[in-house]
């Protein structure tokens, strides 16, 4: 069984540029999560989807961050415009029963 | 605010000993706690889940406890091996938003 796939693995952009991350969850997993992880810290939830509905986006900075999961399968997280403080690892995870989460390898974003 | 605290100092132990990691939560009562392992450059990997009505859970060399009075979970690795060296994350969920602790780095020395 394939795991959670994320791309790209690494991204370097100039500040004020847009950036997008893509996630393909494990087949059959209805719940999808996007997290942000800073060095030495635990993951912080940005948004959680149940199928195509965003059920918890309270921590998503909506002025510059957006996400979509149009067909309830893969998802895209976008930042526009990126700021220096957005440099971090962006993790995607999925689950089928809402408890145990399966994480992807993450996208390491560097904003210069 | 709701928070999970883990010991930020690395835990160094000798191979074969038992490693014990602590997770404390404040200002809420999670329905369950989970423990994940994270290696450098990789996403977290699920290890164990314990619910609020369970005192203890075991899986091979791993044991986790949940004390709702102390608001604490302990994570034990018995007969530790150098391959167990990693960062271990505690997280909570259920009635509240999903929260992760900052993790504790474990180093097992031969």
């Amino acid at each position: 069984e394939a795991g959670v796939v994320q791309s790209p693995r690494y991204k370097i952009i100039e500040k004020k540029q847009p950036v997008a991350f893509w996630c393909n969850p494990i087949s059959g997993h209805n719940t999808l999560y996007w997290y942000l992880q800073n060095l030495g810290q635990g993951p912080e939830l940005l948004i959680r989807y149940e199928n195509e509905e965003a059920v918890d986006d309270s921590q998503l900075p909506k002025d510059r961050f957006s996400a979509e999961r149009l067909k309830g399968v893969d998802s895209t997280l976008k930042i526009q415009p990126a700021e220096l403080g957005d440099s971090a690892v962006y993790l995607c995870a999925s689950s089928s029963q809402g408890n145990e989460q399966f994480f992807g390898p993450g996208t390491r974003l560097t904003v210069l | 605010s709701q928070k999970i605290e883990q010991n930020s100092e690395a835990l160094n132990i000798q191979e074969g000993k038992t490693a014990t990691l602590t997770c404390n939560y404040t200002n809420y009562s999670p329905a369950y706690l989970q423990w994940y392992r994270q290696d450098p450059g990789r996403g977290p990997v699920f290890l164990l889940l314990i619910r609020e009505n369970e005192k203890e859970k075991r899986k091979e060399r791993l044991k986790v406890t949940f004390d709702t009075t102390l608001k604490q979970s302990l994570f034990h690795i018995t007969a530790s091996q150098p391959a167990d060296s990693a960062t271990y994350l505690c997280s909570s969920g259920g009635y509240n938003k999903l929260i992760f602790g900052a993790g504790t780095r474990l180093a097992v020395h031969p």
Side-chain angles (χ1 to χ4, degrees):
Chain A
E1 177 184 270
V4 175
V5 179
Q6 290 189 248
S7 69
R9 289 296 315 277
Y10 304 92
K11 189 74 178 179
I12 300 174
I13 60 171
E14 302 266 332
K15 64 181 181 182
K16 300 185 182 179
Q17 294 299 306
V19 65
F21 315 123
W22 177 79
C23 172
N24 188 253
I26 292 173
S27 177
H29 281 195
N30 297 329
T31 309
L32 184 145
Y33 314 76
W34 281 103
Y35 289 91
L36 174 157
Q37 186 173 28
N38 287 304
L39 190 64
Q41 300 298 314
E44 299 171 33
L45 182 68
L46 291 172
I47 189 167
R48 176 167 65 97
Y49 283 94
E50 293 290 344
N51 298 305
E52 55 276 354
E53 182 184 359
V55 296
D56 184 357
D57 63 356
S58 57
Q59 299 295 102
L60 188 72
K62 298 181 184 64
D63 56 335
R64 297 184 301 107
F65 287 64
S66 64
E68 60 182 15
R69 193 184 186 201
L70 293 176
K71 296 182 179 179
V73 181
D74 56 348
S75 175
T76 303
L77 177 70
K78 297 179 181 177
I79 308 175
Q80 182 170 13
E83 297 179 352
L84 294 176
D86 296 332
S87 295
V89 175
Y90 291 82
L91 293 164
C92 178
S94 69
S95 67
S96 62
Q97 301 295 332
N99 294 333
E100 176 184 350
Q101 295 177 54
F102 294 82
F103 283 82
T107 297
R108 182 176 296 278
L109 174 68
T110 302
V111 183
L112 302 175
Chain B
S1 62
Q2 299 165 356
K3 197 164 45 174
I4 282 184
E5 293 180 334
Q6 297 183 252
N7 195 337
S8 58
E9 291 184 15
L11 178 63
N12 291 282
I13 64 168
Q14 211 64 29
E15 182 176 9
K17 301 292 186 185
T18 296
T20 298
L21 286 67
T22 304
C23 170
N24 295 293
Y25 57 91
T26 55
N27 297 325
Y28 72 115
S29 298
Y32 60 82
L33 292 168
Q34 301 183 62
W35 285 86
Y36 288 79
R37 168 183 173 142
Q38 187 171 28
D39 291 286
R42 294 179 178 269
V45 175
F46 173 80
L47 296 174
L48 279 169
L49 178 151
I50 185 166
R51 301 187 185 282
E52 60 180 341
N53 61 348
E54 297 174 315
K55 297 282 188 192
E56 181 180 298
K57 207 85 167 279
R58 291 175 185 261
K59 179 182 175 182
E60 297 172 352
R61 294 185 297 112
L62 309 180
K63 184 179 84 170
V64 63
T65 63
F66 194 170
D67 189 326
T68 55
T69 301
L70 293 178
K71 292 184 179 287
Q72 180 181 83
S73 174
L74 298 179
F75 177 79
H76 306 271
I77 305 175
T78 58
S80 60
Q81 306 164 359
D84 295 327
S85 299
T87 295
Y88 291 86
L89 300 165
C90 174
S91 83
S92 69
Y95 309 128
N96 314 92
K97 68 176 182 178
L98 295 164
I99 301 174
F100 275 81
T104 297
R105 189 159 54 88
L106 172 67
V108 181
H109 302 282

